């Protein structure tokens, strides 16, 4: 039975529809993490009726999957350097649907599918879940798979004491260095 009512805020954002029962508030970057929304109703000569509630304002999440990585054919990959902010939880997905161990952490272990090795790489996506109605943030990284090295020392061989022996028949493949 109020003859009038109006909403007020302690925030610096924009309050629209303050003369309706369904206003909306758009936070300003300078707002603190909690502001107050207050509804005042009047019906003279009676006293004003006032009620309020606190509105919690969350910052949007960010995600950084980290740099691209190098993996080895036939092996799982766990060399992650991921980071998020303003996110209560995270999860990882793979472009090919490969599974993760501890996939709800920033440093999981990815277990590649055969198609990942065939393709030579796979794109992995970090999802940072937002608080309240904040949209999810995502970031991707690519893992490139190298063929494992092989080595064959050649041999066997025989040599007489005091003589020298020249090794031959040795080979390596897929190496970055030879020691």
């Amino acid at each position: 039975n109020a003859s009038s009512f109006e909403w007020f805020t302690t925030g610096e954002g924009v309050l629209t529809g303050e003369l309706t029962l369904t206003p909306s508030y758009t936070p300003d970057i300078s707002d603190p993490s909690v502001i107050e929304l207050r509804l005042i109703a009047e019906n003279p000569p009676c006293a004003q009726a006032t009620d309020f509630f606190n509105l919690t304002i969350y910052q949007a999440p960010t995600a950084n999957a980290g740099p691209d990585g190098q993996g080895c054919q036939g092996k799982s990959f766990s060399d992650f350097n991921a980071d998020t902010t303003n996110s209560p939880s995270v999860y990882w997905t793979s472009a090919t649907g490969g599974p993760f161990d501890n996939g709800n952490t920033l440093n999981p272990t990815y277990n590649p599918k055969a198609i990942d090795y065939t393709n030579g790489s796979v794109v992995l996506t970090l999802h940072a879940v937002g608080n309240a109605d904040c949209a999810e943030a995502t970031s991707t990284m690519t893992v490139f798979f190298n063929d494992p090295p092989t080595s064959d020392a050649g041999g066997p061989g025989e040599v007489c004491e005091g003589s020298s022996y020249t090794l031959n028949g040795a080979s390596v493949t897929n190496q970055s260095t030879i020691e």
Side-chain angles (χ1 to χ4, degrees):
N1 291 340
S3 62
S4 66
F5 59 88
E6 187 171 359
W7 288 93
F8 297 91
T9 179
T10 59
E12 297 297 321
V14 176
L15 179 62
T16 57
E18 60 271 7
L19 297 178
T20 71
L21 290 176
T22 56
S24 66
Y25 182 77
T26 304
D28 185 83
I29 191 83
S30 66
D31 276 342
S33 61
V34 177
I35 60 137
E36 183 179 286
L37 291 171
R38 182 174 299 270
L39 176 61
I40 299 175
E42 294 182 342
N43 193 12
C46 300
Q48 289 182 337
T50 302
D51 194 22
F52 71 93
F53 71 93
N54 291 327
L55 178 67
T56 302
I57 301 169
Y58 292 101
Q59 292 182 344
T62 64
N64 179 357
D68 292 344
Q70 298 287 324
C72 188
Q73 294 271 354
K75 302 286 184 181
S76 60
F77 177 82
S78 59
D79 190 17
F80 291 88
N81 190 18
D83 188 32
T84 63
T85 60
N86 308 315
S87 176
S89 63
V90 301
Y91 66 96
W92 289 87
T93 57
S94 158
T96 59
F100 291 85
D101 293 336
N102 299 313
N104 294 329
T105 67
L106 290 174
N107 298 298
T109 298
Y110 178 65
N111 300 298
K113 295 176 80 172
I115 190 70
D116 298 335
Y117 299 133
T118 301
N119 291 341
S121 66
V122 64
V123 175
L124 305 179
T125 303
L126 171 63
H127 302 259
V129 177
N131 287 297
D133 65 345
C134 293
E136 182 177 276
T138 60
S139 177
T140 62
M141 66 175 293
T142 302
V143 177
F144 298 93
F145 295 101
N146 299 319
D147 291 327
T150 63
S151 64
D152 182 350
E158 297 177 349
V159 66
C160 183
E161 184 180 347
S163 299
S164 66
Y165 177 80
T166 302
L167 286 89
N168 60 39
S171 65
V172 294
T173 61
N174 305 319
Q175 82 286 351
S176 58
T177 62
I178 299 176
E179 295 183 20

